Amino acid sequence: MSWHVLGLPDGRGGMPSPWLLHWAQRHGVEQVPQHDWQRPLRGDWMMQLEEAVLRHPRVVLVADQLACHLVAAWAAHSRLTKRVLAAWLVATPALARAEDKARLPSWFPVVRKPLPFPAWSVAAEADAPVQDWGAQIVPLAGPNSDEPAWQAGWDSLQSQTVELIETN
């Protein structure tokens, strides 16, 4: 049984994280684009995610930083959530500072509903809403520029997803 991995970059700097680019190059992870990397709009990016999920019958979402909030917002509104096997949420920000609200107004209010699919959280900020989303906390360091961490993260994603499929 196969699935397609959709990568959701942070969205606040114009480039995906090096580890997500590495996964795209080495493992074929499809990057879900957005229209404005300098001022990401939640609704616009939700539409991009909707279109990407629509192209594949079974997906695993891998979200980095701000994109973790994208997954929660999209899941609260989409009718395609049954296509999502699971989500990996890496370095979820809390979005609790006044500067976050000023810089990212379309991302508020923060969605706090449980996700309708299994999710794992790696290296989230202390007040990030990952527990509200029902994400299982994985006690690993988030991916970084260290090659073994990239591979260990990919191996963990694969084994957790296979285990999830086999038990359901």
Side-chain angles (χ1 to χ4, degrees):
M1 191 171 290
S2 65
W3 62 86
H4 191 79
V5 180
L6 296 175
L8 303 162
D10 176 31
R12 294 178 290 180
M15 287 293 294
S17 298
W19 65 269
L20 205 47
L21 284 173
H22 179 80
W23 285 6
Q25 293 166 352
R26 199 168 271 178
H27 305 292
V29 172
E30 176 186 344
Q31 305 296 305
V32 176
Q34 62 163 309
H35 293 109
D36 187 346
W37 289 101
Q38 300 306 315
R39 188 170 175 255
L41 299 174
R42 183 167 69 178
D44 288 351
W45 204 5
M46 286 171 57
M47 290 178 60
Q48 295 293 326
L49 178 53
E50 185 82 357
E51 290 174 9
V53 171
L54 191 57
R55 290 191 299 268
H56 307 285
R58 298 164 55 84
V59 298
V60 172
L61 305 176
V62 178
D64 185 26
Q65 299 182 46
L66 182 61
C68 299
H69 288 273
L70 167 67
V71 169
W74 173 82
H77 293 93
S78 179
R79 294 179 187 220
L80 299 177
T81 58
K82 296 261 188 248
R83 293 178 179 229
V84 178
L85 295 172
W88 277 79
L89 310 171
V90 179
T92 306
L95 292 187
R97 299 181 309 259
E99 346 30 292
D100 294 331
K101 290 180 183 177
R103 201 170 69 85
L104 301 165
S106 71
W107 293 84
F108 291 88
V110 169
V111 174
R112 296 189 175 276
K113 294 180 182 179
L115 295 172
F117 41 77
W120 296 279
S121 172
V122 178
E125 287 184 2
D127 294 331
V130 294
Q131 290 183 327
D132 295 337
W133 299 336
Q136 179 181 343
I137 308 299
V138 178
L140 299 172
N144 57 37
S145 60
D146 181 23
E147 176 71 28
W150 284 342
Q151 190 58 47
W154 180 258
D155 293 345
S156 183
L157 167 74
Q158 295 298 307
S159 66
Q160 293 269 4
T161 304
V162 167
E163 182 180 319
L164 173 72
I165 291 169
E166 290 174 353
T167 59
N168 288 321

